[in-house]
Amino acid sequence: MAPVVWDTRNSTDIVRDLLTPDNLERWRAHGDGPFASNYGEVGAFLNVTDGNSRPDVQLVGGATALVLSGEEVPDRAVFTMNCCPLNPRTRGTVRLASADPQAPPLIDPRYFDVPADVSVMVAGLRAVMGIAHCAPFAAYLARAHRPASDDLDCLDGMDDAALEEHVRRWSATSYHPVGTCAMGTGDDSVVNSDLEVYGVERLRVVDASVMPTAISGNTNAPTIMIAEKAAERIGEQRRRQSGEPHRVAGAKATDHGHPVDGGAGQGIRTAVHRPDRRLPGRER
């Protein structure tokens, strides 16, 4: 993802101005305030190429510097909007560095090896610059900080080559890698539809690495879904092996196996669809 950063006026920077001891105590006491923020609280999905089909960029922004994983920290209040390409065509690699299992792997994301990915990013940045002129947002933006310019209008005059240079210089990971143990039936597939590793017994891979291609958005919720499905499949397999009858999570049954307490079908819910199910990370 590549950032556009603006100096702001009549505003505060959540990291520079608001992460104070008082606000820390507020978070400890009530669980809210600036310390409860993930900083990137603004988002959108846009189609910036043909305007008709599915979104091809995701925007993630907030009232602070979200640049190169925090490597750049301006000395003044800023607002950042990052543009991330969805469904990138470029494919990276993860390879073993040696036979030592403790050695870090060789990771090469190969960003923008396919020129079409850069074109989508340039179009996405132009969309971001257009948003910057819209009320009420525009009233709080003083000038562009990255790419640097004297005012907002200077960004509009940048040609595609200049924006591509900015993309290549300032892009960073969005921490949503997938596909290194892809599910499928081809020669390059690592796991089958039950997430079992080909050629290895009693081993499954259950995380975002089994996604055959990059999804159009954040990977957290789909990864939870994959884990729920894997747990269901593992349970079914163990029941078959032990000869136990299939049971649906949440069902209440009589000695005859019929659902009770509410009529036919009442009280039967899978774990995935239980409304009282709490997802990881939520307060308990």
Side-chain angles (χ1 to χ4, degrees):
M1 58 183 184
V4 177
V5 187
W6 298 271
D7 292 349
T8 58
R9 59 167 68 94
N10 301 322
S11 68
T12 54
D13 185 300
I14 190 170
V15 173
R16 191 180 71 93
D17 302 321
L18 301 180
L19 298 188
T20 63
D22 286 345
N23 281 327
L24 177 59
E25 289 305 315
R26 172 182 172 179
W27 175 78
R28 286 173 173 168
H30 305 289
D32 60 6
F35 276 89
S37 171
N38 69 350
Y39 307 157
E41 297 180 338
V42 179
F45 290 84
L46 307 176
N47 180 287
V48 296
T49 52
D50 58 30
N52 297 315
S53 60
R54 62 194 294 182
D56 43 29
V57 297
Q58 179 180 0
L59 306 184
V60 179
T64 192
L66 304 173
V67 182
L68 297 180
S69 302
E71 292 180 18
E72 178 166 305
V73 183
D75 60 358
R76 50 198 176 277
V78 299
F79 188 98
T80 305
M81 186 67 77
N82 274 290
C83 178
C84 178
L86 303 179
N87 306 298
R89 301 181 187 180
T90 299
R91 294 291 180 266
T93 61
V94 178
R95 296 179 293 119
L96 296 177
S98 70
D100 179 6
Q102 299 299 319
L106 301 176
I107 302 175
D108 181 8
R110 299 172 61 183
Y111 294 133
F112 309 120
D113 264 13
V114 178
D117 291 341
V118 183
S119 299
V120 170
M121 288 289 281
V122 168
L125 291 184
R126 292 205 182 281
V128 168
M129 294 169 186
I131 293 172
H133 290 289
C134 296
F137 191 36
Y140 295 95
L141 303 181
R143 66 182 182 88
H145 173 79
R146 187 75 62 200
S149 67
D150 294 331
D151 55 43
L152 298 182
D153 294 333
C154 288
L155 293 181
D156 299 331
M158 295 180 66
D159 60 20
D160 287 355
L163 286 176
E164 179 176 339
E165 181 181 352
H166 173 77
V167 167
R168 293 186 180 277
R169 167 64 180 84
W170 293 100
S171 287
T173 178
S174 58
Y175 301 103
H176 296 154
V178 303
T180 52
C181 294
M183 175 176 59
T185 58
D187 293 339
D188 293 335
S189 300
V190 177
V191 299
N192 61 21
S193 59
D194 286 323
L195 307 183
E196 299 167 319
V197 176
Y198 286 115
V200 182
E201 295 184 356
R202 302 176 63 84
L203 178 62
R204 282 180 168 89
V205 178
V206 184
D207 57 27
S209 65
V210 305
M211 298 179 186
T213 59
I215 63 170
S216 299
N218 299 46
T219 53
N220 179 261
T223 302
I224 293 172
M225 180 275 295
I226 290 170
E228 293 277 10
K229 191 64 177 179
E232 181 181 303
R233 291 288 182 89
I234 292 170
E236 291 174 353
Q237 185 181 69
R238 289 188 175 181
R239 283 189 291 271
R240 288 196 301 269
Q241 292 172 347
S242 65
E244 295 180 10
H246 176 73
R247 299 188 64 180
V248 180
K252 296 181 180 180
T254 65
D255 292 340
H256 303 291
H258 299 299
V260 296
D261 193 18
Q266 294 289 325
I268 300 179
R269 300 189 182 98
T270 68
V272 175
H273 295 103
R274 282 177 50 189
D276 61 338
R277 183 63 178 261
R278 293 187 178 273
L279 298 179
R282 294 184 59 180
E283 284 189 359
R284 297 183 179 276

